[in-house]
């Protein structure tokens, strides 16, 4: 399986470039009989959509999904679900200015060196617009996980540049452009972004995602661990530079007597492990935190090289998110959903006859 | 491919339990003609070996590797390399006290719930002793990467519990039991560990790994990214709860003008990206940092449940590492080597005819 | 990887149903820099197209391919190549008569039992129309194999029902609707098909495919053998019930002194092995023969069951190929091309540094 | 996944060479709780063992299997099952005479050209002795399939060189050295083999395998078809040159009205399709037939080349099966078992909630 697919039983394949005619995806292995309409997917795509506030890219895309196969009479058939999202607002001319130079921190340099091909239009395949496919595939996974197991997957912005945004309430998350769980902080975030945008610079972000009601037992030791596959899925999102499960890097300084989550017949007494032990879900919420780096396309002039290898200066004036992390919440949720669904199916394949010995709580 | 294998072209398969007769591994896809003797592997296994200082488990294992196939006349043949490491010092009786209770933070609970089977001896498959196979597979990858591309992979302990151990010199790393790059700090680390051991508690650690001389162009966008596969490989190591590439979580608070590594004809001017952009290697050092949680097997009494689901208390008195992170450096190096080698082969498969357009420096 | 994808480095994914809006495919792993236009694919699709003679289904489809990604400026970029073939002539009403009954020998029964879903329109995913994706993916593989290694892949109809059609000349193959290599036999084949069509019955066929100029060394022992993957690829084509490599079933009655192909410094003296020994290409032509069963959709009344499990009689009056084997030649060529290309890339990945010790001829 | 592994959820990995210390295998993905002792595997290995009659190789091997992991207390744990079969009777000196020449029809030529390495001892990795691992892996699959679903997998010799051996009775099969289902023909087969052995030549064979009680619904369209994976598994067995499912090549000349298996509420009325339609099991017996070529190691002198590429003559005087097909029955059964088990687990993974709409019979 090459790099544009992932998953073993719930397998997602993606194609498309930022300035080509369309993005497309194939979801293979979805169980049959799941009620599925394009609106189920559209709902999630709309959460990720560009142009929804002044704080994100002003590219105008309706991001309308068209399901081409794999459903009949409003239900999945068990065969491959193909779908398209047409690109509508490609302004390739925005890129003529930087056709021959590379943006520091951008993938256009490495794609060029790897493939020997220079597609200067909007980052080509490296564009974060590819995540539209992840969100669509995740929407299907979320729906199945919710209907079959009651799994609930939600995320929020945990930090915007230097500003921590501590968790306050799930209700708030979808009521603001930042996926902030704290509505009172929105004003501060807006001011920060307005100043940032004006400066022509960009900033990073931290996003947290949690999956509740995950049954105990999902995950395949030792290399196919649930947390290992979550880490890969998250790190494969554009701009992600770090992944934590549970206590994450805080566990470095913890004592064993502090970190190890005690159990009673009513369940675990804490969740430092983030819902995964030995690569297998514990039955507690699966909690993940990711770091997203600042956007590389900025108006601040920077030293770089051109396609001749000569010194150059670059400034990017196209339409870009000054903080890609702002729109990353639905993407991270989607990736977590895809991994969980794949592991759910694999677990059922191997261990479909196992009755978990005890039920806590 | 099930969970005990990883890799696409350089594929590693592992089997064995802590208290069974042996661990074994299969490395498939190694190029033919690589000079390979058991000493090449043994050398790395010895770095990871238990009982080498008072700060790690006192289990006595020679960890002797026996190559069973895949070489002829001192060279790899291109066929599957099978090898065994026999267990020599299994004291299953150490585990009778905890046969019916679960250690908080240990995988014995999740294995039991997933498979419906209780193997109480030393964690069974979940034991960190499994990493012997990773180190062996990594030894082969390291050798090939070094001989074919001059890639050099090295790691060190960056933090022991609350004590940061800043990088000082590579020479120091193999001269002390902690893989500390700073010999002057060893005394402090020893004192800390002596006190910790006496308290019956355990602690976490941070390990950094760096691969130098990695050519530009390795890694498969978009899901098969080099950094995504590194993240999975690292997170699959026992006790790892977090992974960072380059600036990692620090990039959250960085500005784009600070994070994006400028380029000149002489190369990159910084390495916030940790040697990977868009999932493809940049030609700079690939740098990774991981968080390891504290050992779950401690003498401190903790609340737990037993196999009936009833409340219980557990204390673990067997021979355990009070800090699994101490021996993790060679393991992390090995996992990085396996991922890089797999990506090197895959890159050559698809892009074997590409000449990178420019050569920096 | 789920069932709608195949290949390790050259990976093909397919979606679509006979009576949905479109078929689509994704080719991942194609080397960058290959000149590729939609005409390169269209040319092969036209060879497989329905309605091209009175001997095949009269469904009217232009089978126009639209490339959506993976190329730039007329060349492949190394990223996933997505493409669509829209369905234009779906007459779902043709199927209302058989909506509740199953055709003997057709997959509609097994799909229904596997997935619990009944899509009666033209066989849904099981339709032979899916092979349009194989032919498109194969067209890209053929082009790369020809340009990079001079590999030439051609097939022909070797038997039509009871009539053997011995090989005569490659030139003839594309000059008649049957892919017969013997133009003098076309009249006989036409008469046979006219009578068959009138009778409402169908018939099987044998198709042979040959790949010339395949270098020695492609194929991965022991399970990933070149011939094993060819066998899977061929058997995955709708209606195929048998696969032979080289002498095939004739080798059962051969002596070793007859079957084993002698070698001289000028090369092999015969090709009973069909270009594969031990799963690795020998450098001789790779030769494959496949058996295709007669179409199951016939006008002859047959005993069957309905969706209630009750006895029923079925006759199929839609537009069907009375011999699916007639259009199978380009499909078999395409599958052989995909397998060879995948193995070529994998061989280069693992053995890119090997210089074959001798060159025969 | 590289070439020495196969299977998606039930994954088999193999290593070892004919003249190395041991063969080893890893079975990953076996459901937990299956009673499994080494005798369960040994029983099948003994059926394949060399030296059991004068008609097969006289190499003396006890083929004793040692299970190294994956079981506890006589049951599978769900983790990887590792096992070894030591080589005991390697006479490498037998091969000094042919160290520099290649046997026509043998894989030693292609291995050498692919890998650039010459291991002249008994064919190295290409030896049919590798099938010991397949038989062991198949023994586990057979046991699970029988206990979980009542699946019964049996094979027999259907033709020995020119002599067809029509099916007579399953009872006979294990009562003679040929796996003949007809005891009355054994004398004729013995005489044929005695003459053949004396002549120094070898001969091919046909073996049939049948799996009964396979539930309807196993198999993944469109590329992961049950029959496609069976074809690959069979073609991957040493010496196999052809595979048929059901009517196989006979379906070429059949009419649709003859081939298509009619159904009544009591079930199918014939089995031309061999238990597979559209790549999915029908609920009828899965029936497979394979062609095995004659052994390439014969005493008859043959033209060949040597390692310098110069003309040479070769005669092979080591201990070889004059008909590898004689011992192939348990191997073919094993491969069928592995494929069925993998598909059973995958089907359960995706379609575990589906209730097949009707139950025939």
């Amino acid at each position: 399986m090459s790099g544009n697919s992932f998953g073993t039983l719930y397998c997602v394949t993606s194609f498309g470039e930022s300035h080509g005619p369309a993005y497309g995806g194939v979801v293979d292995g979805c169980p049959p009989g799941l009620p599925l309409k394009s609106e189920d997917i559209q709902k999630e795509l709309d959460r990720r959509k560009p142009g929804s506030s002044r704080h994100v890219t002003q590219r105008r895309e309706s991001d309308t999904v068209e399901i081409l196969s794999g459903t009949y009479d409003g239900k999945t058939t068990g065969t491959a679900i193909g779908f398209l999202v047409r690109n509508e607002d490609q302004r390739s001319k925005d890129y003529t200015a930087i056709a021959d130079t590379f943006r520091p921190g951008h993938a256009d340099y490495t794609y060029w060196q790897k493939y020997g091909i220079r597609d200067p239009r909007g980052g080509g395949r490296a564009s974060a617009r590819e995540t539209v496919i992840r969100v669509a595939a995740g929407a299907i996974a979320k729906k199945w996980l919710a209907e079959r197991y009651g799994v609930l997957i939600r995320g929020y912005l945990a930090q915007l540049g230097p500003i921590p945004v501590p968790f306050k309430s799930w209700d708030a998350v979808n009521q603001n452009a930042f996926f902030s769980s704290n509505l009172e902080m929105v004003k501060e975030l807006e001011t920060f972004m307005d100043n940032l945008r004006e400066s022509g610079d960009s900033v990073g972000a931290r996003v947290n995602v949690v999956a509740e009601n995950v049954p105990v037992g999902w995950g395949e030791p030792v290399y196919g661990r649930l947390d290992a596959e979550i880490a890969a899925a998250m790190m494969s999102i554009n701009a992600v530079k770090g992944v934590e499960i549970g206590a994450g890097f805080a566990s470095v300084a913890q004592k064993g007597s502090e970190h190890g989550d005690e159990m009673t017949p009513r369940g675990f007494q804490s969740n430092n492990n983030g819902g995964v032990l030995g690569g297998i879900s514990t039955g507690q919420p699966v909690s993940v935190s990711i770091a997203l780096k600042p956007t590389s396309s900025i108006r601040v002039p920077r030293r770089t090289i051109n396609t001749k290898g000569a010194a150059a200066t670059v400034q990017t004036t196209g339409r870009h998110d000054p903080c890609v992390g702002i729109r990353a919440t639905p993407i991270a949720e989607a990736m977590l959903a895809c991994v969980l669904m794949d592991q759910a199916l694999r677990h059922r394949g191997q261990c479909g006859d196992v009755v978990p010995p005890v039920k806590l709580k």
Side-chain angles (χ1 to χ4, degrees), chain A:
Chain A
M1 189 161 65
S2 286
N4 294 286
S5 297
F6 75 103
T8 300
L9 291 192
Y10 186 80
C11 185
V12 178
T13 298
S14 157
F15 64 86
E17 288 101 33
S18 172
H19 288 64
Y23 279 93
V26 190
V27 165
D28 195 11
C30 184
L34 176 73
L36 185 71
K37 305 213 157 143
S38 57
E39 298 85 62
D40 296 313
I41 298 176
Q42 196 62 52
K43 182 176 66 178
E44 292 287 335
L45 292 181
D46 290 349
R47 295 176 67 216
R48 190 217 76 105
K49 209 164 60 173
S52 53
S53 82
R54 71 180 182 274
H55 310 297
V56 298
T57 174
Q58 294 306 301
R59 182 167 170 161
R60 292 284 158 194
E61 293 285 356
S62 72
D63 280 358
T64 305
V65 69
E66 178 189 11
I67 298 179
L68 294 174
S69 68
T71 65
Y72 178 67
D73 222 4
K75 286 187 178 171
T76 58
T77 60
T79 60
I81 304 167
F83 54 89
L84 280 193
V85 177
R86 294 269 168 191
N87 290 324
E88 295 161 355
D89 181 21
Q90 312 103 301
R91 291 199 211 149
S92 293
K93 62 176 154 42
D94 279 2
Y95 294 93
T96 48
I98 56 166
D100 296 327
T101 52
F102 301 98
R103 284 163 273 173
H106 195 280
D108 56 2
Y109 173 73
T110 51
Y111 269 72
W112 176 61
Q113 290 277 51
K114 178 181 184 71
Y115 297 118
I117 297 278
R118 174 85 177 132
D119 174 358
R121 305 164 305 159
R125 182 67 177 147
S127 168
R129 205 166 146 59
E130 185 276 329
T131 57
V132 77
I133 299 306
R134 304 168 186 242
V135 172
I140 302 171
K142 266 186 179 179
K143 191 157 201 276
W144 185 79
L145 287 165
E147 299 202 355
R148 182 63 179 78
Y149 291 101
V151 172
L152 181 61
I153 299 174
R154 296 181 293 196
Y156 62 95
L157 182 79
Q159 186 167 340
L160 179 69
I163 311 170
V165 188
F167 181 76
K168 190 150 180 204
S169 119
W170 286 118
D171 288 341
V173 172
N174 286 321
Q175 299 175 27
N176 66 93
F178 298 93
F179 299 94
S180 165
S181 64
N182 185 334
L183 290 179
E184 289 161 30
M185 289 191 64
V186 170
K187 185 78 198 154
E188 180 182 353
L189 302 176
E190 287 180 333
T191 307
F192 178 82
M193 287 305 297
D194 289 341
N195 292 335
L196 179 72
R197 207 164 53 247
E198 204 167 328
S199 74
D201 213 332
S202 64
V203 85
R206 176 192 281 264
V207 167
N208 290 354
V209 203
V210 179
E212 291 171 88
N213 303 325
V214 173
V216 67
W218 293 0
E220 267 188 44
V222 298
Y223 302 129
R225 274 175 158 85
L226 177 58
D227 43 358
E229 299 196 349
I230 291 171
M234 294 298 163
M235 198 68 94
S236 82
I237 298 173
N238 307 48
V240 172
K241 301 304 285 183
V243 182
E244 296 183 311
I245 308 288
F249 280 90
S251 51
V252 170
Q254 287 177 321
K255 290 268 172 74
S257 56
E258 178 191 0
H259 179 91
D261 305 305
E262 290 189 303
M263 283 181 276
T264 75
R266 289 188 321 280
F268 286 88
Q269 299 305 299
S270 55
N271 191 15
N272 283 297
N273 281 299
V276 191
L277 283 172
I280 302 169
S281 63
T282 62
Q284 285 191 288
V286 174
S287 76
V288 186
S289 186
I290 60 175
L292 295 112
K293 69 176 187 182
T295 320
S296 51
S297 300
I298 54 178
R299 292 205 319 276
V300 180
R302 312 230 57 213
R303 284 182 297 163
T304 187
I305 61 163
N306 63 21
T307 52
K308 308 289 184 217
T313 297
V314 70
Q315 276 176 283
T316 319
T317 52
R319 303 158 301 171
H320 299 282
D321 288 279
C323 173
V324 284
I326 290 179
R327 293 199 288 139
T329 295
I331 303 164
E333 290 172 9
M335 294 308 281
L336 183 56
C338 290
V339 170
L340 283 170
M341 180 154 182
D342 189 37
Q343 290 276 10
L345 299 180
R346 286 149 69 185
H347 176 67
R348 185 159 82 171
Q350 185 189 14
C351 299
D353 294 323
V354 174
V355 180
V358 298
K359 182 140 183 66
L360 299 187
K361 254 185 299 184

